Amino acid sequence: MTIRFGVVGTNWITDRFIQAGLENEEFILTAVYSRTEEKGRAFAAKYAGAAIYTDLETMASSADVDAVYIASPNSMHAEQAIVCMNYGKHVLVEKPAASNSRELKKMIEAAERNGVLLMEAMKSTFAPNFDVIRDNLYKLGQVRRYFAGYCQYSSRYDAYRQGTVLNAFNPEYSNGSLMDLGIYCLYPMVVLFGKPEMVKATGVMLASGVDGEGSIVMKYPEMDAVVMYSKITDSYLPAEIQGENATMVIDKINQPYQVKIHYRDGAVEELTLPQVYESMYYETKEFITLLKNGERESRVNSHANSLAVAEVMEDARFQIGLRYPADL
């Protein structure tokens, strides 16, 4: 069973998705959508056989497309995904799936109404070492704290400091550090522990109207969670899940390549599994496997998990005064 993909967005992340997809023999690229034919042709030239579209509905109605990967600006995700799903196409939408929970609920409703698969493309929760994390949590005893950070100075921040506001720092596109990087800390947390019962957020707002960096403290019945993220500074701290018997140390929560457990008696258990493929391969494999099996929702990146993450981010955003045009 070959899945014929169309893509929305002609940027570097789409390139990475296609390259990861081509590692799977059941993946084929048949269509590229771009707002301009020139950009579409330049992008599609790298991949033989892909048709170019400048009208989304025309691509969505094509009999040569089974599924669509959407990697346009965040603010466009919901509208474009719903168009595709209304034409019966399955949708893998780049994180964050939508600008807010209201948009995401409409996307989920469209998926259910049209009987199609909708999945958020959060790659880390399908990485081999994420299974290691989940399968070994019991060794920690009672978990008391989840800590994760993703702070990476953005190359686009240099342009911002010189007076040029690119998409990454433009609220019109529902961007900023929480939506771009903080979500990588929150999604694994929700998959592992569910939605927190309380959220307290702080952040640094930039003059353009988005957050440059921020921190969130969250409360669960018997543990807390601390998340920090930034596009204007760097951090080199690993992630930790702290239990009463041991602490699990994860090198990068956004791409978990190394996992260890440090026990209270000083012993260290190496749990790392080798990761054979590029990170995006595993989310693509999940999506294709779900389609082959006739399933319409991932058990990992489920609609409920995506919605819980969207609601946490929305709560945090509103606390620091970060609102998007899409919220109005």
Side-chain angles (χ1 to χ4, degrees):
M1 180 179 179
T2 300
I3 309 299
R4 300 168 299 175
F5 276 85
V7 296
V8 176
T10 53
N11 48 42
W12 65 270
I13 194 86
T14 310
D15 264 323
R16 286 185 61 189
F17 166 75
I18 294 170
Q19 290 159 15
L22 290 172
E23 294 284 340
N24 192 315
E25 61 184 13
E26 295 159 317
F27 175 101
I28 184 171
L29 179 69
T30 58
V32 171
Y33 165 80
S34 175
R35 285 171 291 179
T36 67
E37 186 171 348
E38 181 181 2
K39 284 186 178 180
R41 288 196 178 280
F43 186 87
K46 295 175 284 187
Y47 306 102
I52 300 101
Y53 295 88
T54 55
D55 180 80
L56 183 60
E57 290 207 27
T58 303
M59 186 181 84
S61 63
S62 171
D64 296 324
V65 175
D66 302 311
V68 177
Y69 169 73
I70 296 176
S72 53
N74 301 336
S75 58
M76 301 177 182
H77 287 180
E79 180 180 355
Q80 292 175 335
I82 291 170
V83 166
C84 293
M85 290 188 287
N86 283 344
Y87 279 99
K89 306 307 181 191
H90 308 284
V91 171
L92 177 61
V93 59
E94 193 52 61
K95 62 81 198 164
S99 297
N100 51 48
S101 61
R102 175 177 52 81
E103 287 187 348
L104 183 54
K105 288 175 183 176
K106 289 182 178 179
M107 293 166 68
I108 294 170
E109 289 168 2
E112 294 173 347
R113 182 175 65 250
N114 292 291
V116 297
L117 170 62
L118 170 67
M119 191 181 93
E120 187 167 10
M122 169 55 66
K123 62 184 180 181
S124 58
T125 46
F126 298 114
N129 283 299
F130 188 78
D131 288 338
V132 169
I133 293 167
R134 182 172 46 202
D135 293 345
N136 287 275
L137 278 180
Y138 73 94
K139 297 177 180 178
L140 308 183
Q142 176 65 57
V143 174
R144 293 304 189 186
R145 176 174 292 120
Y146 169 93
F147 166 77
Y150 190 3
C151 304
Q152 181 174 294
Y153 186 94
S154 171
S155 59
R156 295 170 179 82
Y157 190 53
D158 289 332
Y160 178 88
R161 295 171 72 180
Q162 297 299 317
T164 302
V165 180
L166 300 174
N167 289 4
F169 293 99
N170 188 341
E172 293 288 331
Y173 297 107
S174 303
N175 276 333
S177 64
L178 174 58
M179 297 286 270
D180 192 18
L181 302 184
I183 188 173
Y184 280 107
C185 304
L186 294 171
Y187 212 108
M189 179 194 77
V190 167
V191 171
L192 294 172
F193 303 109
K195 184 181 178 183
E197 59 186 25
M198 187 179 71
V199 175
K200 294 292 184 182
T202 63
V204 173
M205 294 292 292
L206 302 178
S208 67
V210 303
D211 56 327
E213 63 92 45
S215 303
I216 308 175
V217 177
M218 289 153 286
K219 176 177 172 50
Y220 287 87
E222 295 185 303
M223 60 172 279
D224 67 14
V226 181
V227 160
M228 62 183 195
Y229 46 89
S230 175
K231 290 176 70 71
I232 58 177
T233 60
D234 289 314
S235 174
Y236 304 93
L237 294 175
E240 290 188 346
I241 302 176
Q242 301 169 6
E244 293 186 353
N245 297 337
T247 294
M248 184 180 290
V249 180
I250 305 148
D251 61 340
K252 295 180 180 180
I253 197 65
N254 58 303
Q255 291 190 105
Y257 290 129
Q258 188 179 71
V259 182
K260 297 180 180 180
I261 293 181
H262 293 253
Y263 292 93
R264 289 178 55 235
D265 64 3
V268 177
E269 183 179 6
E270 176 67 61
L271 298 172
T272 304
L273 286 178
Q275 181 169 306
V276 177
Y277 296 101
E278 198 275 335
S279 297
M280 293 182 76
Y281 166 85
Y282 300 97
E283 67 184 9
T284 310
K285 186 177 187 298
E286 166 80 358
F287 188 80
I288 290 174
T289 299
L290 290 169
L291 283 182
K292 286 171 57 182
N293 294 339
E295 298 183 59
R296 295 297 176 255
E297 184 178 352
S298 169
R299 291 177 177 81
V300 180
N301 289 11
S302 65
H303 295 168
N305 284 341
S306 289
L307 187 57
V309 173
E311 289 172 344
V312 169
M313 292 198 297
E314 197 170 76
D315 191 350
R317 284 200 295 110
F318 289 1
Q319 288 184 41
I320 66 172
L322 174 55
R323 292 180 181 268
Y324 300 128
D327 296 326
L328 303 178

